Amino acid sequence: MTIGKYQQHFHGLPVFDFPSADADGTAPTTLPDAAAVAWRISAPTYSEPEDELWEPQFERFLKTVDPERVRALVVGGWDEAYEESSAPIVTALIAARDRLTDLRAVFLGDMTGEDCEISWIVQSDVTPLLAAYPALREFGVRGGTGLAFPSIRHEGLETLVVETGGLPAEVVRGIAGSDLPALENLELWLGTDNYGGDSTPEDLAPLLDGSAFPALRSLGLCNSVIQDAVAAAVAGAPVVARIERLDLSMGVLTDEGAAALLDGQPLTHLSRLDLSHHYLSEAMSERVRAALVPHGVTVVLDDAQEAEDDGDRVYRYVAVAE
């Protein structure tokens, strides 16, 4: 499956597409209040000569709205995002830090499969952007190719979302080793080794043992081809005792992983457990519900995915890969 929709809401705000310039360089003048929306700035990934590229559009945005009142930015596509990295975008955002003084949220790479498949999006080191905005509360990024996240300290970040079809182990270790004392919500799409997702549960050790992120309340380890191993690691992880929401959706979770999860530490304190896009038998699905729903846990279990069997091998897939 590929991502088929752009974000509609971000940081609690409706997303508004900043209009591209017309042929004469102008754009419609009726715009919402600068603080009332999350501004999406996007350029075609397969551009024509007449198209406005991302960086000129961003500079026009800064001149059109009141940048001091902008609270959230969503970066969509940029020219040749399948070959050119997000580094110039990161540089442009950093250069605007003295103008975007109230910026609290950034999402980098809001593209659908028609723009650029998730595993084709070329990212870069995004940590300088976080360093440039110490008041940032929410950061999201889509695409794992070229993505770098060396361990950092950021005192204000509350939500971190990394969406990939394959998250490199080095990035996982960098995030897990970061000092993020305010982080409440963490969501990592670990992906598959076919697209660079070579991490193991051992790479998540500082996160799972509870030594990282003391404020964490919501944990998502999603879209993983090794979801059974992830579930088994989570089952005995000290961090689980203090979180409220656990998301193990979108991956290759089978009865083996679900059994390990149920046979581990109690999960009845959770408010929500998301196991959607799974490969559980009906009997195991009922066992999960029976163990948790009577305790008030909202369990998200859709219909099981069907594995493909060619006679020699059974194939199971993550929800989002290419």
Side-chain angles (χ1 to χ4, degrees), residues 3-318:
I3 294 176
K5 293 182 179 180
Y6 300 124
Q7 296 206 49
Q8 301 298 307
H9 292 84
F10 179 58
H11 198 59
L13 299 169
V15 174
F16 181 86
D17 283 275
F18 182 68
S20 299
D22 295 330
D24 60 359
T26 64
T29 57
T30 302
L31 297 172
D33 180 82
V37 299
W39 295 90
R40 185 172 185 272
I41 302 171
S42 185
T45 54
Y46 299 87
S47 64
E48 300 294 337
E50 66 274 14
D51 289 329
E52 184 180 34
L53 301 183
W54 194 92
E55 291 165 85
Q57 185 176 171
F58 179 58
E59 189 57 37
R60 183 170 56 83
F61 166 78
L62 293 174
K63 295 176 180 178
T64 302
V65 306
D66 181 357
E68 294 184 354
R69 301 190 70 248
V70 172
R71 296 167 54 198
L73 283 177
V74 176
V75 176
W78 57 87
D79 189 38
E80 298 184 340
Y82 48 90
E83 291 183 352
E84 302 297 329
S85 83
S86 62
I89 312 295
V90 171
T91 298
L93 290 170
I94 292 172
R97 62 183 180 275
D98 292 335
R99 302 164 75 179
L100 295 166
T101 53
D102 201 35
L103 188 65
R104 295 294 181 269
V106 175
F107 189 95
L108 182 59
D110 183 32
M111 289 175 253
T112 68
E114 291 187 0
D115 299 315
C116 187
E117 296 287 0
I118 188 171
S119 294
W120 301 2
I121 300 172
V122 184
Q123 288 289 355
S124 59
D125 185 350
V126 296
T127 54
L129 177 57
L130 294 174
Y133 289 92
L136 209 66
R137 294 293 178 265
E138 182 170 359
F139 180 72
V141 58
R142 179 175 297 159
T145 299
L147 180 64
F149 201 109
S151 295
I152 62 164
R153 176 174 174 80
H154 192 290
E155 296 186 0
L157 196 67
E158 297 172 352
T159 296
L160 175 61
V161 176
V162 183
E163 301 177 352
T164 76
L167 189 58
E170 184 176 4
V171 176
V172 174
R173 290 192 293 269
I175 293 171
S178 291
D179 186 1
L180 307 173
L183 192 71
E184 298 179 1
N185 309 291
L186 176 64
E187 182 177 320
L188 304 178
W189 294 15
L190 301 173
T192 169
D193 51 358
N194 290 335
Y195 294 98
D198 58 351
S199 68
T200 67
E202 287 72 24
D203 297 311
L204 294 162
L207 166 62
L208 296 179
D209 68 20
S211 60
F213 318 142
L216 195 68
R217 295 296 177 267
S218 179
L219 174 62
L221 299 173
C222 309
N223 201 48
S224 176
V225 72
I226 59 165
Q227 202 74 322
D228 282 349
V230 171
V234 166
V239 70
V240 173
R242 58 179 172 81
I243 65 173
E244 300 168 1
R245 297 173 299 279
L246 178 61
D247 187 348
L248 299 176
S249 66
M250 303 172 61
V252 181
L253 182 70
T254 71
D255 283 7
E256 179 183 348
L261 196 63
L262 291 179
D263 293 341
Q265 63 189 299
L267 301 175
T268 52
H269 66 288
L270 295 175
S271 63
R272 179 182 174 91
L273 174 64
D274 191 342
L275 301 179
S276 54
H277 184 95
H278 61 86
Y279 291 88
L280 306 187
S281 65
E282 184 58 35
M284 180 56 72
S285 294
E286 286 305 314
R287 181 184 166 192
V288 172
R289 292 189 184 98
L292 299 176
V293 172
H295 295 277
V297 182
T298 297
V299 176
V300 183
L301 270 171
D302 52 4
D303 292 337
Q305 302 295 309
E306 292 188 10
E308 296 182 12
D309 188 348
D310 64 4
D312 297 320
R313 183 179 174 186
V314 176
Y315 294 89
R316 298 181 178 91
Y317 303 95
V318 298

